[in-house]
Amino acid sequence: MRIAAVLLASTLALGACAPVFTQRGYLPDPELVSNIDVGKDTKTSIQKRLGDPSTQATFSEDGWYYISSTEKAVAFFTPTTLNRKILAVYFDKDGKVTDLKHYSLQDGNVVAFESRTTPTRGKELTFLQQLFNSRPGQPGGVDQGERNPGGGQGGGQPG
């Protein structure tokens, strides 16, 4: 009986870690894309033929993007993008197609985010220090003579 319970528990635990694959977005039929006539087709004809784009250019209306991606997620870990395909349709100021481009995951740029923090002036109090040092009218236990750089109530010098 114990062996059966252990086997059942381990099977459920392993099953919970099975990867989940997610397909997002869509790419229009390649045959429809190949029939686009650069210089003649317009935004209206593209929308009728391919449907609404996944997104549009942010600062101008000269680009439509049809995006499809496949992601793999395991348990609570950050999902991994396995595949991404993008069809970019570019327009001129009159709304006519000027170019078509196909992009993939390899064409993307990895953005490195800065993880440093900006130092702030003043004391950093723990939760318990804030709780035991607080006095009515003075949140965070700021001393009367100390300047509160964040503004707000308490402890600041009259201005």
Side-chain angles (χ1 to χ4, degrees):
M1 187 68 155
R2 287 183 184 172
I3 295 174
V6 170
L7 286 174
L8 179 64
S10 62
T11 302
L12 290 175
L14 288 175
C17 294
V20 176
F21 294 93
T22 307
Q23 174 67 38
R24 296 188 179 168
Y26 81 101
L27 279 183
D29 183 14
E31 188 174 314
L32 293 174
V33 174
S34 66
N35 291 332
I36 294 175
D37 194 4
V38 175
K40 292 186 180 176
D41 275 312
T42 63
K43 288 183 179 183
T44 306
S45 65
I46 296 297
Q47 187 173 20
K48 284 180 183 176
R49 189 176 299 159
L50 305 181
D52 291 326
S54 302
T55 188
Q56 296 181 11
T58 304
F59 297 108
S60 65
E61 296 183 17
D62 63 348
W64 286 4
Y65 304 96
Y66 296 87
I67 304 169
S68 173
S69 66
T70 305
E71 293 182 349
K72 174 184 168 184
V74 178
F76 55 84
F77 297 108
T78 304
T80 304
T81 303
L82 301 174
N83 187 11
R84 181 178 299 132
K85 294 180 182 176
I86 301 171
L87 168 65
V89 182
Y90 297 105
F91 302 96
D92 63 11
K93 62 183 176 184
D94 298 325
K96 292 189 178 185
V97 176
T98 59
D99 199 7
L100 296 171
K101 298 276 186 185
H102 293 273
Y103 300 105
S104 67
L105 189 60
Q106 291 74 25
D107 296 318
N109 294 325
V110 176
V111 177
F113 292 101
E114 185 59 53
S115 61
R116 294 183 296 171
T117 57
T118 304
T120 57
R121 293 176 40 157
K123 288 184 179 179
E124 288 190 26
L125 301 174
T126 66
F127 174 75
L128 292 176
Q129 287 174 326
Q130 291 176 15
L131 183 66
F132 291 122
N133 287 337
S134 77
R135 289 175 250 143
Q138 295 199 340
V142 178
D143 292 334
Q144 189 69 11
E146 184 178 336
R147 188 174 169 124
N148 185 358
Q153 296 181 3
Q157 297 177 357

